[in-house]
Amino acid sequence: MGSITEGWPTIAASRDGRFPKRPSFDTAWEQILETSDTWRNADCAEYIRGWCGTAPDHIVDHVAGVNHVGIYMGDYERDEEILTWNAYLRDLQKSAHIATVEMGPSYISPRQYGTPGWWNALVLPDGRAIETFACMEFGPWADRAVDERRRLMSHVAIDTRTEDGVRFVLDALERDVDSLEVIAFTEADELGHTYGHVRNNADMSVLEIVYQAPRDESEQPHGSH
């Protein structure tokens, strides 16, 4: 399970670097729920300070709370493994354990790490948002250590109070901390979200900054990796 001191969300299923098989889905799901609950009320200033070593007021003043957690579940060999996971999530949706589910291909993992990937984004009935990620065991990605793969894909996403705050926080972090690099930015996507990712190249971990207008029950998280 993730903790503030570890610096990124994770579940036990990812520790061997392999995406869990169908018989382990129930266990993985329980761990995902526990991880989400651990991070939902995290102190964002404390988190940013621990993640990059600083949390100046001009950055902290722009953050509002945790938007979602992104959880790396391991590497897969065939797309069918991810489709099976998506079907499992949709069964949970039918039984009212999940409010909404969305799935799509990663755009960061091919561009940054040379391998395809998938995300599944979901919202729980209580409003918590969770994203799960998996990358194909392929190319240079497979040569990275398991812990590094987890740090690159698992992340905390922090809300800003205004849309302009996303770009402000990303730019301030990249400018003020030598090890930080903005690796992606999307302004006003199809759901009206503005978000970006910044990577700490000192330990190869990632933080997401998000602005999301209030959503109704028909809207879903952006599935940004």
Side-chain angles (χ1 to χ4, degrees):
M1 188 192 307
S3 74
I4 299 300
T5 56
E6 282 180 331
W8 63 89
T10 189
I11 61 170
S14 69
R15 287 179 185 160
D16 63 358
R18 297 292 307 155
F19 196 82
K21 303 299 184 183
R22 178 60 182 84
S24 300
F25 282 0
D26 286 346
T27 299
W29 177 244
E30 290 302 318
Q31 292 171 342
I32 287 168
L33 291 178
E34 291 174 4
T35 299
S36 172
D37 190 58
T38 296
W39 287 90
R40 66 189 304 184
N41 295 317
D43 182 314
C44 291
E46 178 187 351
Y47 179 75
I48 293 172
R49 185 178 297 110
W51 183 73
C52 68
T54 184
D57 289 343
H58 69 279
I59 293 176
V60 172
D61 287 347
H62 284 79
V63 303
V66 174
N67 178 277
H68 67 268
V69 291
I71 299 172
Y72 165 75
M73 295 186 64
D75 290 357
Y76 63 93
E77 294 180 346
R78 299 177 306 278
D79 288 343
E80 288 76 10
E81 296 175 65
I82 311 304
L83 294 173
T84 301
W85 172 245
N86 180 260
Y88 173 83
L89 294 177
R90 293 194 181 278
D91 285 342
L92 289 176
Q93 182 183 17
K94 291 175 184 176
S95 60
H97 290 90
I98 296 176
T100 63
V101 180
E102 186 182 11
M103 175 181 172
S106 171
Y107 70 86
I108 287 183
S109 60
R111 295 178 184 180
Q112 291 287 327
Y113 311 121
T115 188
W118 292 95
W119 49 261
N120 276 272
L122 52 109
V123 176
L124 302 182
D126 64 7
R128 277 183 287 165
I130 302 168
E131 297 175 1
T132 69
F133 299 97
C135 294
M136 180 174 283
E137 188 177 15
F138 174 79
W141 176 256
D143 295 331
R144 294 178 182 267
V146 172
D147 283 348
E148 184 173 296
R149 283 179 262 162
R150 184 167 66 245
R151 290 194 300 271
L152 286 169
M153 299 306 295
S154 293
H155 63 274
V156 177
I158 293 177
D159 273 318
T160 57
R161 302 183 188 280
T162 64
E163 186 172 3
D164 291 344
V166 174
R167 187 76 258 184
F168 178 90
V169 171
L170 291 173
D171 289 345
L173 288 171
E174 186 175 50
R175 180 187 66 242
D176 296 344
V177 184
D178 289 342
S179 61
L180 300 190
E181 175 188 359
V182 175
I183 60 172
F185 176 69
T186 298
E187 186 173 13
D189 68 6
E190 66 275 9
L191 294 179
H193 306 139
T194 293
Y195 54 94
H197 297 78
V198 58
R199 182 175 62 216
N200 189 333
N201 291 323
D203 65 3
M204 303 305 283
S205 62
V206 171
L207 173 68
E208 182 175 354
I209 305 298
V210 184
Y211 174 75
Q212 178 176 317
R215 65 172 179 248
D216 61 34
E217 295 180 356
S218 67
E219 291 182 313
Q220 302 175 12
H222 51 73
S224 54
H225 259 286

